[in-house]
Amino acid sequence: MKGVEVYVEGITKKYGSTTALDGVTLRIPPSEITTLLGPSGCGKTTLLKIIAGLEPPTKGRVYFDGRDVTNLAPEKRNIGFVFQDLALFPHLNVFENVAFGLRVRRVPEAEVKKRVYWALDLVGLDPSEFARRRIHELSGGQQQRVAIARALVIEPAVLLLDEPFAHLDYKIKQRLLLQLKRIQRETGATVVYVTHDQNEAMAVSHKIAVMNNGKILQVGSPEEVYEKPNSSFVASFFGEANVLPGEGGFIVIRPERVLINPDRADTVYDAYIEDVVFQGPLLHIEARVNGKIIKIIKPRNGMVVKPGDKVRIGWLQKDVRVVPE
Amino acid sequence: MKISTIILPLVIFLALFFYAPFIILGYQSFQGLGGEFTLDNYLALVRDPTYLHVILYSIVIAVETTVITLLLAYPASYYVARIASGQEKIILLALLLTPFWIDVLLRSIAIKTIIYTIGLREGYTAMMIGMVYEYLPIMFLPIYASMSRISRSAIDAARVFGANTWDLIRRVIVPMTLPGIVAGSLLVLLMSMTEFVIPSLLGGTQGFTIGSLIYYLFLSGGLWGVGAALTMIVTVMLMVFAFIIAKRTGDITAW
Ligand SMILES: Nc1ncnc2c1ncn2[C@@H]1O[C@H](COP(=O)(O)OP(=O)(O)O)[C@@H](O)[C@H]1O
Ligand SMILES: [Mg+2]
């Protein structure tokens, strides 16, 4: 199956005096995972609801494969949606929750059963164990999988996931993220994945759109956005960053690109080590330069610095990114 | 069975003012005129078809009241709970519930005036208008409560997954408000079955229901034994109902 290309053009959404979205234009390529990344309240959920047709935009258009769907009812868009609060039906068991989209499409019973079992298998819930369970008899992680199965079973052209793995343990989250990527490859759906967590965004995306205050600030592959952030907000929100005042605005230097006692560097400062924190194989170091803290990340092997050490730190010009704001 | 102390005051109150009189009444229902034990009072109820008639007639009125109030309250509660917002919601709720705070006697007299102005007289229609007016808030409140509890995103989810308006009503809204529908319907059914004030004031010749019958037996007819027997039958019937409801609502709300 091939997913559709979603194109939102000049979308503005106002709730009274609140502007939830402010002129958002975004091309979401077919059969890829595109992530909307941004802090809470920046308009991610609102954008998903507009794509789904659950909220009308105040201004702007929505296109699926070039067709204007702005005024098309949500039930006619063939969309899978995993809601932020899951929105499972409490009066239906797991099987009927997943089957919902097929029932309203009047799919024959035998086919319903086949596809519900397929979807439950896909998300790693054994149908013989879970099909008859009540929603409130499931753990949070199991409920999230039911919500994903319910969205997948209709083989949607577009799959919208609104922070689907928030509030889950790290390990379960990692596993579900891998499953999501596999499911996306197998089904070929266009996936829009919403999160405020940069690690999730890095793990899952073909393409990332960083949002703030109802605007999209930057769009690109995870590598592009990481290596070439276009603003200090993007640099700090996606990955760790040192943002320092510099010529023409600010300079951004990633913590892993800061050198300690370098043989050769384009910029060098005297610094002393404030703090060293072990994070698995990495050391997170804070160095003080002229009263300002510089974050440094280094592999642990061979690195011997401790708080109080006087060192020189520096970086290469090629690792510095200049941003206007 | 251990009765938790927090409900003890209520239990004592009910024991004194409901269950004790009920037991006394039960005792009286087996007493003859000379104070001897007898089943005559019950047999009198069975022998004279008028009694059965009145009971069935009251059930018909109660069922009709339930169906009409349900049909009126259900869409209204949907509108007030899910569509109206802000000021409109408050005004609608106030308008719907104000009659509830006013005594039934005053309301019945008010209705009487209106009914006369529109050219009606006491009778079946007038009585049903009064009954619907009386029981509408009781039907409305539990349905409104369950309607308000449906999350916006459950409805969004149904829409996105392909439900048209009919699917939405049938597969999501009605099942999710079922506890409210059941609670409202049973409350109205049971309460309206023994309603006394409205049928007597507005029913005219059509207003002779269980309530009026019991009133007549005790206070005008002087047939205390038969009155007690009838009260016993009706009360036991309602209690059985109440137990079934308590069990059923327990099942339904156990999501
Ligand atoms: N139904 C609504 N009514 C009023 N304001 C809303 C509504 N939905 C969202 N907003 C506001 O719009 C902004 C964006 O919200 P949202 O899209 O939910 O952000 P995010 O999903 O990124 O956390 C917030 O300021 C929020 O308060
Ligand atoms: Mg959100």
Side-chain angles (χ1 to χ4, degrees), chain A residues 44-45 84 162-163:
Chain A
K44 306 182 295 294
T45 297
Q84 195 161 4
D162 197 352
E163 316 213 17

Side-chain angles (χ1 to χ4, degrees), chain A residues 49 54-55 74-75 79-81 83 85 87 89-91 100-101 103-106 134 136 150-151 154, chain B residues 151-168 170-172 175-176 254-255:
Chain A
K49 287 193 170 171
L54 292 170
E55 291 280 358
E75 64 266 27
I79 277 178
F81 203 138
F83 289 81
D85 63 356
F89 302 120
H91 61 292
F100 188 89
R103 297 249 185 257
V104 298
R105 283 170 174 75
R106 315 287 185 261
R134 287 287 178 153
H136 66 87
R150 180 177 67 171
I154 56 173
Chain B
S151 70
R152 158 82 200 270
S153 56
I155 289 178
D156 278 353
R159 279 270 183 226
V160 158
F161 290 120
N164 58 31
T165 305
W166 171 235
D167 290 320
L168 186 68
R170 191 164 64 101
R171 294 179 185 274
V172 179
M176 286 181 84
W255 290 343

Side-chain angles (χ1 to χ4, degrees), chain B residues 74 76-84 89 93 140-155 173 176-177 180 255:
Chain B
Y74 198 78
S77 70
Y78 178 81
Y79 186 85
V80 179
R82 309 221 56 93
I83 297 175
K89 189 181 198 128
L93 273 177
F140 176 84
L141 275 177
I143 297 177
Y144 173 76
S146 62
M147 199 68 89
S148 308
R149 271 199 301 275
I150 301 179
S151 70
R152 158 82 200 270
S153 56
I155 289 178
I173 295 177
M176 286 181 84
T177 50
W255 290 343

Side-chain angles (χ1 to χ4, degrees), chain A residues 100-246:
Chain A
F100 188 89
L102 303 173
R103 297 249 185 257
V104 298
R105 283 170 174 75
R106 315 287 185 261
V107 173
E109 187 60 40
E111 175 82 8
V112 168
K113 184 161 178 189
K114 207 176 86 197
R115 284 176 54 187
V116 169
Y117 277 38
W118 166 82
L120 286 173
D121 273 330
L122 205 59
V123 297
L125 288 175
D126 179 3
S128 63
E129 189 186 343
F130 288 100
R132 301 290 150 204
R133 290 254 197 115
R134 287 287 178 153
I135 294 305
H136 66 87
E137 295 166 349
L138 302 179
S139 73
Q142 289 163 345
Q143 291 186 1
Q144 289 190 306
R145 290 185 216 195
V146 174
I148 293 172
R150 180 177 67 171
L152 286 170
V153 80
I154 56 173
E155 298 184 3
V158 185
L159 177 59
L160 308 174
L161 300 126
D162 197 352
E163 316 213 17
F165 306 137
H167 317 301
L168 285 190
D169 295 344
Y170 178 79
K171 280 233 167 90
I172 299 177
K173 190 188 283 192
Q174 294 308 310
R175 206 171 64 227
L176 288 178
L177 282 171
L178 286 177
Q179 276 180 11
L180 172 64
K181 285 170 86 158
R182 179 175 54 80
I183 290 166
Q184 190 276 329
R185 272 197 311 275
E186 282 173 15
T187 61
T190 303
V191 174
V192 184
Y193 186 90
V194 159
T195 180
H196 63 264
D197 180 332
Q198 48 160 314
N199 294 318
E200 280 177 37
M202 275 187 229
V204 82
S205 321
H206 295 107
K207 192 167 157 185
I208 291 179
V210 184
M211 295 180 65
N212 194 27
N213 283 333
K215 289 198 171 77
I216 291 183
L217 302 182
Q218 187 170 6
V219 184
S221 69
E223 294 77 14
E224 275 166 357
V225 176
Y226 189 79
E227 296 297 342
K228 299 193 172 75
N230 65 4
S231 61
S232 58
F233 179 87
V234 171
S236 320
F237 202 81
F238 192 55
E240 300 251 7
N242 295 296
V243 180
L244 307 166

Side-chain angles (χ1 to χ4, degrees), chain A residues 15 18-20 39-47 55 84 162-163:
Chain A
Y15 292 108
T18 315
T19 303
S40 177
C42 73
K44 306 182 295 294
T45 297
T46 305
L47 186 53
E55 291 280 358
Q84 195 161 4
D162 197 352
E163 316 213 17

